[in-house]
Amino acid sequence: MKRREFLKGSSATLAYISFFGLSPLSAKEQNLLGFKAIPISTQDAVIVPDGYEVKPLISFGDVLFSDAMPFNEKKNINQATIANATRVFGDNNDGMSLFPLDNNRYILAVNNEYINPELIFADNGKNMDSHKVAYEQNSLGVSIFEIRQEKDGFRVVLDSPYNRRITAHTPMQISGVAKGHKSMQTQADKKGELVLGTLNNCANGQTPWGTYLTCEENFDGFFGASDADYKFTESQKRYGIGVKSNYGWELDPRFDISKNPNEPNRFGWIVEIDPYNPNSIPIKRTALGRFKHENIEIVLSREGYVVAYMGDDEANEFLYKFVSKEKFDSKNPQKNKNLLEDGVLYVARIQGENLSGEGEWIALSYGQNGLDSKNGFHSQADILINARLAASIVGATPMDRPEWIAADPKGEFIYATLTNNKKRAIPNGANPREKNMYGQIIRWRPNRKNHLSTKFKWDIFLLAGNPMQYPNDLRKGTSNITSENMFNSPDGLKFDKFGRLWIQSDGDYSNKGDYAGMGNNQMLCANPITGEVKRFLTAPIASEVTGIAFSQDYKTMFVGIQHPGEKLAPSHYPDGGDSTPRSTIVQITKKDGGVIGS
Ligand code: FEO
Ligand code: CA
Ligand code: CA
Ligand code: CA
């Protein structure tokens, strides 16, 4: 599709022109997507285009150490299996990053977001007990391990000194303004400086100074109250905490808020981990605010400040930006390690219509924009711990569930997935559909192309939709969505260095009704210049596609397949037969040895 055709057919036309002008496209820009698109699938398999190969790298329960017990279906949960869970790959892999060691060796850091009790326990998790809770607490968090490229692809290096599991019990420092605040103090940690563990590690980020960032998302699901009459605060309610947890963890007093009301305040942060030092203590970076963090995308401003874009994945929550107080200095690695300690957190207010417009970043700083004691904020720590409440006070724009954010290779445009929002009652410019079933991708460019600017222009890169079911209204999607490439609920999002935009879906996989013709979840690839979108991968039954990383030569792509067979759907991926389905990272190569997507 030529750029002009895309523009003509899309209601995003005006913003698109004002952003880019209409210079002729080079052949390279036109032919960025060199693979043959694949059809939808309802099969229990990972399918990639002709000329590509895919195979598993690691699945839930695979050993990281040679003395660990291999995956054992419906295992008997006892002290030995609980301890073993810290020596194997965790469940529900999500965001991940590669850290090079040399040409063919990397450290892979991977989030293990949560657990699927219906799959891992003989009773499908119906009767939770303290053993099962302890097993779950050891089965999530982060897995860090070495991988090495051999003739037939990458393999996990067992017993590498880098191999490490981070769980719901791993000690972590609290850093930044909220460190030591009274809302961060508990019986076990009277100073409010040291937390045990990380929870619901969704997607990720990677810093220019070589650390891994893991993002705590739906932490509320792990907390409950044994006291059914517990009076929830406004903040606890806003973060979704209720009497009953999703996982039965209130059996552990630390996760029972009637006993430990401040414990949830210690989750919902960005956590920084040094993967090169297996003994390093992870650090919770409170300067980046507390919400349901999806991922974090870092760019350096022209002057060298660290600018981090972040989304809060919940219906009608917000987009955020952080700007560091100090500058990145490539000559001073030691100093860079603390760049996320201090800075200014902003939230987005977005105006416009016809799928384009302008926006601004509003500082969440104590004493500004009504963030003071009149509105219940007594310090900057109060603001960071209760970032959602603060953002509402300054008039942030409620979004359709912000998921991943990705910067293009030049660091000029920032793209973000807004996955869907069935609770959307009042449409606005960037979220133009009531009861949004399909989701959209927004992009923005800061004014003066400077990420320190508090103003930006935006447009909608695509509205996902179903042009077959709803040809006559916005539910059909933008003109770059067709019967050939339709999908719902964009989630994972990342650019490769050549400018291809990879889009992963986490949506309704019923293939019926509003979602007919979309099949299983999938991964697509977009040309951001022309707007073209092609389907590259389809996922197994009842899984989502989430997590993406490339080898340095971009000839191997790692992709996460999360929760195949969730809710006891009929998947046996990846082992087949009658096996229990397992979340898996796959590696994809091109048979001719070329760059993925070329
Ligand atoms: Fe863990 Fe919003 O996805
Ligand atoms: Ca996600
Ligand atoms: Ca999602
Ligand atoms: Ca997920």
Side-chain angles (χ1 to χ4, degrees):
M1 185 161 52
K2 295 220 168 54
R3 180 191 290 173
R4 278 166 211 282
E5 284 163 359
F6 169 59
L7 293 173
K8 206 163 52 186
S10 163
S11 37
T13 303
L14 290 172
Y16 207 90
I17 292 170
S18 70
F19 270 37
F20 291 115
L22 271 178
S23 55
L25 288 182
S26 69
K28 210 169 111 196
E29 284 175 323
Q30 296 234 20
N31 301 315
L32 197 57
L33 314 184
F35 61 92
K36 185 164 179 285
I38 61 170
I40 62 163
S41 161
T42 54
Q43 295 179 56
D44 194 26
V46 178
I47 299 170
V48 291
D50 284 346
Y52 285 81
E53 271 178 326
V54 57
K55 65 179 175 185
L57 173 74
I58 191 168
S59 302
F60 169 52
D62 284 351
V63 300
L64 300 177
F65 299 92
S66 50
D67 61 356
M69 291 185 278
F71 184 69
N72 172 11
E73 296 186 5
K74 311 287 186 193
K75 55 180 67 100
N76 180 25
I77 305 302
N78 54 35
Q79 288 304 343
T81 42
I82 291 167
N84 193 64
T86 65
R87 319 249 317 143
V88 302
F89 186 49
D91 200 359
N92 278 307
N93 47 267
D94 202 305
M96 58 180 156
S97 296
L98 283 167
F99 296 86
L101 291 167
D102 58 35
N103 276 344
N104 50 15
R105 292 163 61 233
Y106 295 85
I107 301 169
L108 181 54
V110 189
N111 291 345
N112 297 114
E113 189 176 24
Y114 64 107
I115 52 266
N116 287 112
E118 77 274 26
L119 296 176
I120 63 182
F121 298 129
D123 69 351
N124 309 119
K126 286 197 191 88
N127 299 300
M128 289 303 289
D129 58 29
S130 57
H131 275 89
K132 286 182 184 143
V133 168
Y135 179 82
E136 291 187 339
Q137 290 173 342
N138 283 349
S139 296
L140 47 62
V142 180
S143 297
I144 298 173
F145 49 93
E146 183 180 335
I147 60 172
R148 188 173 58 214
Q149 189 165 27
E150 297 180 353
K151 279 204 190 70
D152 56 351
F154 280 90
R155 285 174 192 242
V156 174
V157 179
L158 299 184
D159 306 314
S160 161
Y162 298 107
N163 293 5
R164 174 180 192 188
R165 275 299 317 286
I166 288 167
T167 71
H169 295 293
T170 306
M172 316 210 155
Q173 290 173 5
I174 299 171
S175 100
V177 173
K179 173 181 174 177
H181 187 266
K182 65 176 182 348
S183 307
M184 301 293 272
Q185 298 167 0
T186 63
Q187 282 294 325
D189 173 32
K190 294 200 167 56
K191 289 185 173 165
E193 296 180 350
L194 194 79
V195 185
L196 294 184
T198 183
L199 294 173
N200 217 101
N201 304 79
C202 183
N204 63 312
Q206 196 166 12
T207 66
W209 52 95
T211 57
Y212 183 66
L213 301 172
T214 181
C215 305
E216 297 182 331
E217 193 191 21
N218 299 310
F219 63 89
D220 55 309
F222 296 90
F223 291 89
S226 58
D227 171 6
D229 298 323
Y230 183 82
K231 292 278 175 290
F232 292 93
T233 64
E234 186 193 355
S235 175
Q236 286 167 337
K237 285 189 229 166
R238 179 68 179 268
Y239 285 91
I241 296 164
V243 170
K244 218 174 145 17
S245 76
N246 295 343
Y247 301 98
W249 285 22
E250 56 271 47
L251 286 169
D252 174 348
R254 184 155 72 98
F255 295 92
D256 178 349
I257 64 160
S258 37
K259 298 195 176 107
N260 276 296
N262 283 347
E263 189 69 11
N265 294 335
R266 294 141 64 87
F267 297 89
W269 302 104
I270 301 275
V271 186
E272 184 167 13
I273 300 171
D274 180 357
Y276 290 103
N277 177 0
N279 300 313
S280 60
I281 298 176
I283 305 172
K284 299 210 176 187
R285 296 294 189 187
T286 66
L288 298 161
R290 174 171 168 263
F291 44 90
K292 296 187 182 178
H293 282 282
E294 180 72 22
N295 85 331
I296 173 166
E297 181 76 334
I298 288 185
V299 293
L300 292 177
S301 80
R302 211 174 288 150
E303 304 83 351
Y305 292 99
V306 176
V307 179
Y309 290 100
M310 302 172 285
D312 181 354
D313 180 7
E314 187 124 60
N316 305 313
E317 291 294 341
F318 313 124
L319 289 166
Y320 292 84
K321 173 175 99 160
F322 167 85
V323 178
S324 64
K325 187 176 173 200
E326 306 286 339
K327 291 182 195 175
F328 176 76
D329 178 357
S330 57
K331 294 188 198 78
N332 191 347
Q334 209 44 43
K335 193 180 141 223
N336 293 336
K337 287 196 166 157
N338 259 332
L339 283 170
L340 301 181
E341 172 80 12
D342 197 4
V344 179
L345 183 66
Y346 299 84
V347 69
R349 190 190 285 159
I350 300 177
Q351 290 110 13
E353 53 190 24
N354 294 326
L355 310 188
S356 65
E358 299 185 349
E360 63 186 310
W361 295 104
I362 305 164
L364 298 177
S365 297
Y366 182 65
Q368 295 178 27
N369 304 313
L371 298 176
D372 52 29
S373 50
K374 275 191 231 110
N375 282 312
F377 296 96
H378 303 288
S379 64
Q380 185 62 22
D382 256 350
I383 291 169
L384 296 170
I385 295 167
N386 303 292
R388 284 183 165 183
L389 300 178
S392 288
I393 284 172
V394 305
T397 300
M399 307 299 288
D400 287 348
R401 292 187 53 201
E403 298 246 32
W404 290 45
I405 301 182
D408 71 25
K410 291 183 191 147
E412 191 175 333
F413 284 88
I414 308 294
Y415 288 63
T417 48
L418 302 169
T419 197
N420 60 53
N421 182 359
K422 289 154 199 163
K423 296 180 183 167
R424 166 73 55 196
I426 306 166
N428 60 43
N431 307 276
R433 296 179 290 193
E434 275 176 36
K435 299 193 179 69
N436 176 8
M437 298 183 282
Y438 301 120
Q440 64 264 24
I441 298 178
I442 186 175
R443 68 179 157 192
W444 62 87
R445 184 170 70 182
N447 287 8
R448 296 175 281 111
K449 296 188 188 179
N450 186 333
H451 291 281
L452 296 190
S453 174
T454 55
K455 301 272 168 61
F456 59 91
K457 292 196 171 59
W458 64 270
D459 74 359
I460 295 291
F461 175 65
L462 67 79
L463 279 179
N466 192 329
M468 310 311 287
Q469 294 281 320
Y470 298 108
N472 300 317
D473 62 53
L474 279 182
R475 288 174 294 183
K476 72 181 178 194
T478 36
S479 64
N480 47 349
I481 298 302
T482 67
S483 61
E484 297 298 302
N485 67 9
M486 59 186 181
F487 67 100
N488 72 91
S489 307
D491 188 335
L493 193 70
K494 195 173 180 67
F495 276 94
D496 65 28
K497 79 165 178 187
F498 306 97
R500 294 180 197 90
L501 179 59
W502 297 88
I503 304 164
Q504 302 176 319
S505 83
D506 169 25
D508 188 306
Y509 42 74
S510 65
N511 202 29
K512 289 195 186 108
D514 295 330
Y515 305 97
M518 296 180 177
N520 292 353
N521 276 309
Q522 52 191 279
M523 185 161 79
L524 307 107
C525 190
N527 180 335
I529 310 294
T530 61
E532 181 185 19
V533 179
K534 284 165 82 170
R535 187 179 297 111
F536 179 82
L537 174 151
T538 53
I541 292 171
S543 68
E544 77 174 82
V545 188
T546 187
I548 180 167
F550 293 94
S551 62
Q552 285 176 296
D553 59 10
Y554 286 80
K555 292 178 174 178
T556 302
M557 175 164 61
F558 298 90
V559 173
I561 302 297
Q562 197 191 46
H563 62 71
E566 68 170 357
K567 298 176 190 147
L568 304 178
S571 171
H572 302 286
Y573 182 82
D575 303 316
D578 293 331
S579 64
T580 300
R582 295 189 286 159
S583 291
T584 296
I585 296 171
V586 297
Q587 48 183 321
I588 298 168
T589 50
K590 210 174 165 185
K591 286 177 184 162
D592 68 5
V595 165
I596 303 299
S598 64

PDB file of all heavy atoms in Angstrom, residues 130-153:
ATOM      1  N   SER A 130      -1.154 -23.605  52.538  1.00  0.00           N
ATOM      2  CA  SER A 130       0.077 -22.805  52.648  1.00  0.00           C
ATOM      3  C   SER A 130       1.192 -23.375  51.769  1.00  0.00           C
ATOM      4  O   SER A 130       2.042 -22.627  51.280  1.00  0.00           O
ATOM      5  CB  SER A 130       0.518 -22.695  54.107  1.00  0.00           C
ATOM      6  OG  SER A 130       0.703 -23.982  54.630  1.00  0.00           O
ATOM      7  N   HIS A 131       1.206 -24.684  51.544  1.00  0.00           N
ATOM      8  CA  HIS A 131       2.220 -25.259  50.647  1.00  0.00           C
ATOM      9  C   HIS A 131       2.037 -24.761  49.223  1.00  0.00           C
ATOM     10  O   HIS A 131       2.997 -24.386  48.553  1.00  0.00           O
ATOM     11  CB  HIS A 131       2.132 -26.802  50.648  1.00  0.00           C
ATOM     12  CG  HIS A 131       2.886 -27.426  51.767  1.00  0.00           C
ATOM     13  ND1 HIS A 131       2.337 -27.666  52.990  1.00  0.00           N
ATOM     14  CD2 HIS A 131       4.172 -27.841  51.847  1.00  0.00           C
ATOM     15  CE1 HIS A 131       3.242 -28.211  53.785  1.00  0.00           C
ATOM     16  NE2 HIS A 131       4.366 -28.330  53.117  1.00  0.00           N
ATOM     17  N   LYS A 132       0.794 -24.779  48.777  1.00  0.00           N
ATOM     18  CA  LYS A 132       0.540 -24.328  47.402  1.00  0.00           C
ATOM     19  C   LYS A 132       0.877 -22.844  47.251  1.00  0.00           C
ATOM     20  O   LYS A 132       1.435 -22.427  46.227  1.00  0.00           O
ATOM     21  CB  LYS A 132      -0.921 -24.575  47.018  1.00  0.00           C
ATOM     22  CG  LYS A 132      -1.220 -26.047  46.754  1.00  0.00           C
ATOM     23  CD  LYS A 132      -2.657 -26.193  46.346  1.00  0.00           C
ATOM     24  CE  LYS A 132      -3.015 -27.646  46.166  1.00  0.00           C
ATOM     25  NZ  LYS A 132      -4.384 -27.939  46.619  1.00  0.00           N
ATOM     26  N   VAL A 133       0.517 -22.045  48.272  1.00  0.00           N
ATOM     27  CA  VAL A 133       0.838 -20.613  48.214  1.00  0.00           C
ATOM     28  C   VAL A 133       2.358 -20.440  48.121  1.00  0.00           C
ATOM     29  O   VAL A 133       2.870 -19.664  47.295  1.00  0.00           O
ATOM     30  CB  VAL A 133       0.259 -19.871  49.441  1.00  0.00           C
ATOM     31  CG1 VAL A 133       0.826 -18.454  49.541  1.00  0.00           C
ATOM     32  CG2 VAL A 133      -1.262 -19.836  49.364  1.00  0.00           C
ATOM     33  N   ALA A 134       3.103 -21.186  48.930  1.00  0.00           N
ATOM     34  CA  ALA A 134       4.571 -21.063  48.915  1.00  0.00           C
ATOM     35  C   ALA A 134       5.133 -21.501  47.556  1.00  0.00           C
ATOM     36  O   ALA A 134       6.072 -20.879  47.035  1.00  0.00           O
ATOM     37  CB  ALA A 134       5.175 -21.904  50.034  1.00  0.00           C
ATOM     38  N   TYR A 135       4.559 -22.525  46.981  1.00  0.00           N
ATOM     39  CA  TYR A 135       5.009 -22.978  45.652  1.00  0.00           C
ATOM     40  C   TYR A 135       4.756 -21.889  44.608  1.00  0.00           C
ATOM     41  O   TYR A 135       5.611 -21.587  43.776  1.00  0.00           O
ATOM     42  CB  TYR A 135       4.269 -24.271  45.277  1.00  0.00           C
ATOM     43  CG  TYR A 135       4.647 -24.819  43.916  1.00  0.00           C
ATOM     44  CD1 TYR A 135       5.792 -25.584  43.740  1.00  0.00           C
ATOM     45  CD2 TYR A 135       3.860 -24.556  42.797  1.00  0.00           C
ATOM     46  CE1 TYR A 135       6.150 -26.069  42.481  1.00  0.00           C
ATOM     47  CE2 TYR A 135       4.202 -25.036  41.542  1.00  0.00           C
ATOM     48  CZ  TYR A 135       5.350 -25.792  41.398  1.00  0.00           C
ATOM     49  OH  TYR A 135       5.686 -26.259  40.159  1.00  0.00           O
ATOM     50  N   GLU A 136       3.586 -21.262  44.694  1.00  0.00           N
ATOM     51  CA  GLU A 136       3.274 -20.173  43.761  1.00  0.00           C
ATOM     52  C   GLU A 136       4.221 -18.984  43.964  1.00  0.00           C
ATOM     53  O   GLU A 136       4.669 -18.367  42.995  1.00  0.00           O
ATOM     54  CB  GLU A 136       1.825 -19.706  43.949  1.00  0.00           C
ATOM     55  CG  GLU A 136       0.813 -20.737  43.502  1.00  0.00           C
ATOM     56  CD  GLU A 136      -0.621 -20.211  43.532  1.00  0.00           C
ATOM     57  OE1 GLU A 136      -0.898 -19.225  44.250  1.00  0.00           O
ATOM     58  OE2 GLU A 136      -1.463 -20.788  42.834  1.00  0.00           O
ATOM     59  N   GLN A 137       4.492 -18.675  45.239  1.00  0.00           N
ATOM     60  CA  GLN A 137       5.367 -17.521  45.511  1.00  0.00           C
ATOM     61  C   GLN A 137       6.767 -17.727  44.931  1.00  0.00           C
ATOM     62  O   GLN A 137       7.436 -16.764  44.571  1.00  0.00           O
ATOM     63  CB  GLN A 137       5.435 -17.268  47.032  1.00  0.00           C
ATOM     64  CG  GLN A 137       4.101 -16.735  47.562  1.00  0.00           C
ATOM     65  CD  GLN A 137       4.031 -16.625  49.067  1.00  0.00           C
ATOM     66  OE1 GLN A 137       4.826 -17.232  49.789  1.00  0.00           O
ATOM     67  NE2 GLN A 137       3.057 -15.864  49.559  1.00  0.00           N
ATOM     68  N   ASN A 138       7.187 -18.989  44.828  1.00  0.00           N
ATOM     69  CA  ASN A 138       8.495 -19.291  44.242  1.00  0.00           C
ATOM     70  C   ASN A 138       8.444 -19.471  42.729  1.00  0.00           C
ATOM     71  O   ASN A 138       9.484 -19.593  42.092  1.00  0.00           O
ATOM     72  CB  ASN A 138       9.070 -20.567  44.866  1.00  0.00           C
ATOM     73  CG  ASN A 138       9.638 -20.309  46.253  1.00  0.00           C
ATOM     74  OD1 ASN A 138       9.774 -19.156  46.659  1.00  0.00           O
ATOM     75  ND2 ASN A 138       9.956 -21.363  46.963  1.00  0.00           N
ATOM     76  N   SER A 139       7.248 -19.504  42.151  1.00  0.00           N
ATOM     77  CA  SER A 139       7.120 -19.794  40.716  1.00  0.00           C
ATOM     78  C   SER A 139       6.911 -18.537  39.883  1.00  0.00           C
ATOM     79  O   SER A 139       6.780 -18.626  38.670  1.00  0.00           O
ATOM     80  CB  SER A 139       5.956 -20.773  40.476  1.00  0.00           C
ATOM     81  OG  SER A 139       6.243 -22.005  41.095  1.00  0.00           O
ATOM     82  N   LEU A 140       6.837 -17.373  40.553  1.00  0.00           N
ATOM     83  CA  LEU A 140       6.726 -16.133  39.776  1.00  0.00           C
ATOM     84  C   LEU A 140       7.894 -15.213  40.111  1.00  0.00           C
ATOM     85  O   LEU A 140       8.777 -15.574  40.866  1.00  0.00           O
ATOM     86  CB  LEU A 140       5.369 -15.460  40.010  1.00  0.00           C
ATOM     87  CG  LEU A 140       4.838 -15.283  41.429  1.00  0.00           C
ATOM     88  CD1 LEU A 140       5.732 -14.404  42.262  1.00  0.00           C
ATOM     89  CD2 LEU A 140       3.436 -14.712  41.412  1.00  0.00           C
ATOM     90  N   GLY A 141       7.921 -14.052  39.510  1.00  0.00           N
ATOM     91  CA  GLY A 141       9.012 -13.099  39.724  1.00  0.00           C
ATOM     92  C   GLY A 141       9.793 -12.894  38.441  1.00  0.00           C
ATOM     93  O   GLY A 141       9.224 -12.483  37.422  1.00  0.00           O
ATOM     94  N   VAL A 142      11.080 -13.205  38.480  1.00  0.00           N
ATOM     95  CA  VAL A 142      11.947 -13.015  37.311  1.00  0.00           C
ATOM     96  C   VAL A 142      12.881 -14.214  37.226  1.00  0.00           C
ATOM     97  O   VAL A 142      13.331 -14.728  38.258  1.00  0.00           O
ATOM     98  CB  VAL A 142      12.777 -11.711  37.451  1.00  0.00           C
ATOM     99  CG1 VAL A 142      13.690 -11.495  36.245  1.00  0.00           C
ATOM    100  CG2 VAL A 142      11.864 -10.498  37.639  1.00  0.00           C
ATOM    101  N   SER A 143      13.149 -14.680  36.011  1.00  0.00           N
ATOM    102  CA  SER A 143      14.182 -15.698  35.777  1.00  0.00           C
ATOM    103  C   SER A 143      15.307 -15.046  34.989  1.00  0.00           C
ATOM    104  O   SER A 143      15.056 -14.345  34.004  1.00  0.00           O
ATOM    105  CB  SER A 143      13.634 -16.882  34.970  1.00  0.00           C
ATOM    106  OG  SER A 143      12.600 -17.553  35.666  1.00  0.00           O
ATOM    107  N   ILE A 144      16.537 -15.270  35.442  1.00  0.00           N
ATOM    108  CA  ILE A 144      17.713 -14.728  34.743  1.00  0.00           C
ATOM    109  C   ILE A 144      18.648 -15.903  34.474  1.00  0.00           C
ATOM    110  O   ILE A 144      18.945 -16.682  35.398  1.00  0.00           O
ATOM    111  CB  ILE A 144      18.414 -13.656  35.605  1.00  0.00           C
ATOM    112  CG1 ILE A 144      17.441 -12.492  35.855  1.00  0.00           C
ATOM    113  CG2 ILE A 144      19.686 -13.166  34.930  1.00  0.00           C
ATOM    114  CD1 ILE A 144      17.958 -11.447  36.825  1.00  0.00           C
ATOM    115  N   PHE A 145      19.049 -16.061  33.216  1.00  0.00           N
ATOM    116  CA  PHE A 145      19.918 -17.202  32.899  1.00  0.00           C
ATOM    117  C   PHE A 145      20.701 -16.932  31.620  1.00  0.00           C
ATOM    118  O   PHE A 145      20.331 -16.089  30.803  1.00  0.00           O
ATOM    119  CB  PHE A 145      19.093 -18.492  32.756  1.00  0.00           C
ATOM    120  CG  PHE A 145      17.880 -18.378  31.860  1.00  0.00           C
ATOM    121  CD1 PHE A 145      17.970 -18.716  30.508  1.00  0.00           C
ATOM    122  CD2 PHE A 145      16.662 -17.937  32.354  1.00  0.00           C
ATOM    123  CE1 PHE A 145      16.859 -18.614  29.671  1.00  0.00           C
ATOM    124  CE2 PHE A 145      15.553 -17.828  31.519  1.00  0.00           C
ATOM    125  CZ  PHE A 145      15.644 -18.163  30.192  1.00  0.00           C
ATOM    126  N   GLU A 146      21.777 -17.686  31.505  1.00  0.00           N
ATOM    127  CA  GLU A 146      22.628 -17.542  30.316  1.00  0.00           C
ATOM    128  C   GLU A 146      22.091 -18.419  29.198  1.00  0.00           C
ATOM    129  O   GLU A 146      21.624 -19.541  29.429  1.00  0.00           O
ATOM    130  CB  GLU A 146      24.064 -17.953  30.677  1.00  0.00           C
ATOM    131  CG  GLU A 146      25.030 -17.758  29.519  1.00  0.00           C
ATOM    132  CD  GLU A 146      26.461 -18.160  29.861  1.00  0.00           C
ATOM    133  OE1 GLU A 146      26.836 -18.135  31.062  1.00  0.00           O
ATOM    134  OE2 GLU A 146      27.201 -18.506  28.917  1.00  0.00           O
ATOM    135  N   ILE A 147      22.174 -17.912  27.954  1.00  0.00           N
ATOM    136  CA  ILE A 147      21.882 -18.730  26.774  1.00  0.00           C
ATOM    137  C   ILE A 147      23.071 -18.624  25.819  1.00  0.00           C
ATOM    138  O   ILE A 147      23.773 -17.614  25.796  1.00  0.00           O
ATOM    139  CB  ILE A 147      20.568 -18.321  26.067  1.00  0.00           C
ATOM    140  CG1 ILE A 147      20.612 -16.868  25.594  1.00  0.00           C
ATOM    141  CG2 ILE A 147      19.371 -18.536  26.974  1.00  0.00           C
ATOM    142  CD1 ILE A 147      19.418 -16.467  24.730  1.00  0.00           C
ATOM    143  N   ARG A 148      23.280 -19.697  25.083  1.00  0.00           N
ATOM    144  CA  ARG A 148      24.428 -19.745  24.161  1.00  0.00           C
ATOM    145  C   ARG A 148      23.948 -20.236  22.808  1.00  0.00           C
ATOM    146  O   ARG A 148      23.122 -21.154  22.720  1.00  0.00           O
ATOM    147  CB  ARG A 148      25.486 -20.693  24.726  1.00  0.00           C
ATOM    148  CG  ARG A 148      26.793 -20.664  23.938  1.00  0.00           C
ATOM    149  CD  ARG A 148      27.869 -21.475  24.628  1.00  0.00           C
ATOM    150  NE  ARG A 148      27.442 -22.847  24.810  1.00  0.00           N
ATOM    151  CZ  ARG A 148      27.777 -23.617  25.862  1.00  0.00           C
ATOM    152  NH1 ARG A 148      28.534 -23.124  26.823  1.00  0.00           N
ATOM    153  NH2 ARG A 148      27.368 -24.851  25.931  1.00  0.00           N
ATOM    154  N   GLN A 149      24.463 -19.614  21.742  1.00  0.00           N
ATOM    155  CA  GLN A 149      24.072 -20.021  20.393  1.00  0.00           C
ATOM    156  C   GLN A 149      24.948 -21.181  19.945  1.00  0.00           C
ATOM    157  O   GLN A 149      26.178 -21.092  19.958  1.00  0.00           O
ATOM    158  CB  GLN A 149      24.228 -18.845  19.423  1.00  0.00           C
ATOM    159  CG  GLN A 149      23.626 -19.139  18.068  1.00  0.00           C
ATOM    160  CD  GLN A 149      23.457 -17.881  17.228  1.00  0.00           C
ATOM    161  OE1 GLN A 149      24.188 -16.909  17.398  1.00  0.00           O
ATOM    162  NE2 GLN A 149      22.492 -17.890  16.340  1.00  0.00           N
ATOM    163  N   GLU A 150      24.281 -22.267  19.534  1.00  0.00           N
ATOM    164  CA  GLU A 150      24.988 -23.416  18.975  1.00  0.00           C
ATOM    165  C   GLU A 150      24.517 -23.602  17.546  1.00  0.00           C
ATOM    166  O   GLU A 150      23.730 -22.807  17.046  1.00  0.00           O
ATOM    167  CB  GLU A 150      24.731 -24.640  19.858  1.00  0.00           C
ATOM    168  CG  GLU A 150      25.302 -24.367  21.248  1.00  0.00           C
ATOM    169  CD  GLU A 150      25.121 -25.497  22.241  1.00  0.00           C
ATOM    170  OE1 GLU A 150      24.421 -26.475  21.910  1.00  0.00           O
ATOM    171  OE2 GLU A 150      25.681 -25.372  23.342  1.00  0.00           O
ATOM    172  N   LYS A 151      24.969 -24.665  16.884  1.00  0.00           N
ATOM    173  CA  LYS A 151      24.626 -24.837  15.460  1.00  0.00           C
ATOM    174  C   LYS A 151      23.115 -24.879  15.223  1.00  0.00           C
ATOM    175  O   LYS A 151      22.615 -24.372  14.233  1.00  0.00           O
ATOM    176  CB  LYS A 151      25.248 -26.138  14.939  1.00  0.00           C
ATOM    177  CG  LYS A 151      26.726 -25.983  14.573  1.00  0.00           C
ATOM    178  CD  LYS A 151      27.122 -27.040  13.545  1.00  0.00           C
ATOM    179  CE  LYS A 151      28.638 -27.069  13.357  1.00  0.00           C
ATOM    180  NZ  LYS A 151      29.336 -27.622  14.567  1.00  0.00           N
ATOM    181  N   ASP A 152      22.418 -25.519  16.151  1.00  0.00           N
ATOM    182  CA  ASP A 152      20.978 -25.693  15.960  1.00  0.00           C
ATOM    183  C   ASP A 152      20.158 -24.662  16.737  1.00  0.00           C
ATOM    184  O   ASP A 152      18.983 -24.881  16.998  1.00  0.00           O
ATOM    185  CB  ASP A 152      20.577 -27.116  16.363  1.00  0.00           C
ATOM    186  CG  ASP A 152      20.983 -27.423  17.788  1.00  0.00           C
ATOM    187  OD1 ASP A 152      21.725 -26.605  18.402  1.00  0.00           O
ATOM    188  OD2 ASP A 152      20.555 -28.459  18.324  1.00  0.00           O
ATOM    189  N   GLY A 153      20.759 -23.558  17.110  1.00  0.00           N
ATOM    190  CA  GLY A 153      19.999 -22.516  17.796  1.00  0.00           C
ATOM    191  C   GLY A 153      20.501 -22.265  19.208  1.00  0.00           C
ATOM    192  O   GLY A 153      21.532 -22.804  19.619  1.00  0.00           O
TER     193      GLY A 153
END
